[in-house]
Amino acid sequence: AIIMFMRAILIFISFLLLQLHQGVSGDGDFLFFTTVSRVYRMDIDTNTTEVIFTMPDSFAGSQIGNMVADSQYVYFGLIWNIVRVSHDGSDINLSWVSTNGTQYGYGLIYAMVYDPSDNLLYYQTQADYGLYILNLATMKVQQWGVYRYAGNGGMNGQLAVWPGSGKTLFWGLDSGEASCNGLVSLNVSMKEKTTRPFWCRLEFPRAIGVYNDEVLVGDSVYYNGVNVIDIKTGQYKRQVQPAVKPCNMAIDNHNGRMYTSGAGKIGVLDIVSGNTSVIYSTDFETYGFCYVAFVRNSTSPPPPSNVPKVTLLKPAKGPVAGQNKVYIVGTGFVDSTSLSCRFGSVLGTYASFSTPELISCVAPGSPVQGSTIVYASNDGINYSTQ
């Protein structure tokens, strides 16, 4: 009986230690970024940075490939493997998934994106041109299709996923590719196997991300800022100018931020206000490949309780030139000097409080005709959700 009691105590202590480790690994909002041979973790709240992975000598001459992250681990390509590293660097699995002619693919990891809504990892392996979908909970994998084009293997730059009305993937094609010099799309929910041209006006798409109902894409050669494209209409909306020319980007949809990496620097752009800054810079491997991933964990504080809710717009339509007053009906509005409204990603002007159920705003102009979502905020930071 005493032995059984002691064993139960040991099991309980082990459970507590496991929970403690998971808490350390998973808590907080983190930004991960890479050089050729290192992975860094930045704590967004404290702005502190540490190295969580350094390339072993046995991999000398290799380069860290595209990277994504979930609430506990960072995943990236290294030779013919997907490596898994815990957020604090204490758990490193160099051969977590082999892509050396296995069921998980054949070749280097060329592009990768993680969808937290259903815990799926989408990636392409370079030698077989296959697009794979890996369920991280069950480790079951499916080859969705083979996407071989005339240039460098089918996918250029990042993979991006839109979890909106039908799971849709976006990736880029180089100049001179078969059907589209720019972005193509693939609706996974509709069981599509053939890509569709989405926005064919970019020579060398590189950094690609999704913010709400918009695709953000920048080219790697003729850099003219990051283009913003409406997902629902496929129409060009505007350009934003990040502080760091991106070879890779990560989007924080909750706070409306775009993190970009390139040439040894990490920058952040407030997508709504346009404010930018460089948040990390190093001379180490300045010209190496650099990838970035953002994680907002479930343990992060929920949005403040003073976030309003929008239910109706009067009028519901307006001129493309904007400058018309729009009445926003909803709940939870506060008479505040920071009261603001947003049309898609563009701020309106002259926000005015009437009642807790009614405010007004002057709509901005738009370069194209189409629909957009209107958001409201009492503090200018935390906006209503869709």
Side-chain angles (χ1 to χ4, degrees):
I2 294 176
I3 293 175
M4 292 181 64
F5 177 72
M6 293 299 295
R7 184 177 296 173
I9 292 178
L10 289 173
I11 292 173
F12 179 69
I13 293 174
S14 299
F15 172 77
L16 289 179
L17 290 174
L18 176 62
Q19 294 299 106
L20 177 62
H21 169 73
Q22 290 179 340
V24 172
S25 175
D27 289 351
D29 292 349
F30 297 134
L31 187 70
F32 299 93
F33 50 94
T34 75
T35 56
V36 170
S37 62
R38 293 182 178 180
V39 177
Y40 295 77
R41 183 189 75 174
M42 174 181 284
D43 188 306
I44 298 297
D45 296 327
T46 63
N47 203 35
T48 55
T49 302
E50 61 181 309
V51 176
I52 64 167
F53 176 82
T54 300
M55 185 91 71
D57 293 339
S58 58
F59 287 83
S62 305
Q63 295 178 341
I64 293 174
N66 219 319
M67 177 182 64
V68 298
D70 63 15
S71 61
Q72 284 189 294
Y73 297 100
V74 181
Y75 307 87
F76 54 87
L78 185 59
I79 307 184
W80 290 19
N81 293 284
I82 300 177
V83 176
R84 189 185 73 177
V85 179
S86 60
H87 284 186
D88 61 2
S90 64
D91 181 4
I92 298 175
N93 190 334
L94 293 172
S95 55
W96 177 67
V97 165
S98 170
T99 57
N100 189 9
T102 69
Q103 61 177 323
Y104 297 103
Y106 181 40
L108 304 176
I109 301 298
Y110 191 70
M112 183 186 299
V113 67
Y114 171 66
D115 184 1
S117 67
D118 50 17
N119 202 26
L120 295 180
L121 185 65
Y122 299 85
Y123 63 92
Q124 186 195 42
T125 47
Q126 197 171 31
D128 64 359
Y129 307 100
L131 172 63
Y132 293 86
I133 304 176
L134 174 60
N135 187 311
L136 295 184
T138 65
M139 292 304 292
K140 291 183 178 180
V141 67
Q142 175 186 7
Q143 187 191 72
W144 189 259
V146 174
Y147 300 93
R148 183 195 304 267
Y149 296 98
N152 62 0
M155 295 185 184
N156 184 57
Q158 289 181 265
L159 262 175
V161 61
W162 180 53
S165 301
K167 193 84 62 182
T168 304
L169 296 175
F170 297 92
W171 68 80
L173 301 182
D174 280 346
S175 176
E177 299 280 11
S179 60
C180 175
N181 298 337
L183 289 181
V184 295
S185 66
L186 185 74
N187 191 310
V188 179
S189 295
M190 298 297 292
K191 307 299 182 183
E192 287 183 350
K193 298 290 185 174
T194 303
T195 59
R196 298 184 181 185
F198 178 73
W199 194 67
C200 305
R201 300 180 184 178
L202 201 62
E203 292 294 315
F204 292 92
R206 175 64 175 169
I208 305 168
V210 170
Y211 172 63
N212 291 335
D213 293 330
E214 298 170 338
V215 175
L216 304 134
V217 54
D219 70 276
S220 59
V221 179
Y222 309 109
Y223 180 66
N224 295 306
V226 172
N227 302 281
V228 182
I229 317 300
D230 188 293
I231 290 177
K232 295 181 178 179
T233 65
Q235 297 295 314
Y236 170 84
K237 298 181 70 173
R238 68 191 185 285
Q239 282 189 344
V240 293
Q241 300 291 335
V244 174
K245 176 181 175 179
C247 71
N248 207 242
M249 72 169 66
I251 307 297
D252 173 8
N253 270 279
H254 181 85
N255 293 305
R257 296 170 183 161
M258 175 175 66
Y259 295 94
T260 57
S261 61
K265 295 181 180 179
I266 304 296
V268 61
L269 165 79
D270 187 298
I271 299 174
V272 176
S273 69
N275 295 331
T276 66
S277 63
V278 175
I279 58 175
Y280 188 83
S281 180
T282 179
D283 293 329
F284 177 68
E285 297 173 326
T286 300
Y287 297 102
F289 295 110
C290 193
Y291 300 99
V292 63
F294 174 80
V295 172
R296 182 175 182 83
N297 286 318
S298 57
T299 52
S300 301
S305 58
N306 66 339
V307 174
K309 181 178 181 180
V310 175
T311 57
L312 184 66
L313 303 177
K314 295 182 179 181
K317 297 181 180 180
V320 173
Q323 309 311 311
N324 58 302
K325 180 179 285 190
V326 177
Y327 291 93
I328 302 173
V329 181
T331 57
F333 299 124
V334 175
D335 190 0
S336 164
T337 57
S338 298
L339 183 68
S340 58
C341 60
R342 198 176 79 204
F343 293 73
S345 300
V346 183
L347 286 173
T349 56
Y350 302 106
S352 177
F353 175 86
S354 296
T355 72
E357 291 77 36
L358 180 65
I359 63 172
S360 63
C361 233
V362 174
S366 174
V368 296
Q369 188 173 13
S371 60
T372 189
I373 298 174
V374 177
Y375 306 87
S377 172
N378 291 322
D379 57 13
I381 299 174
N382 299 286
Y383 282 81
S384 56
T385 56
Q386 298 181 21

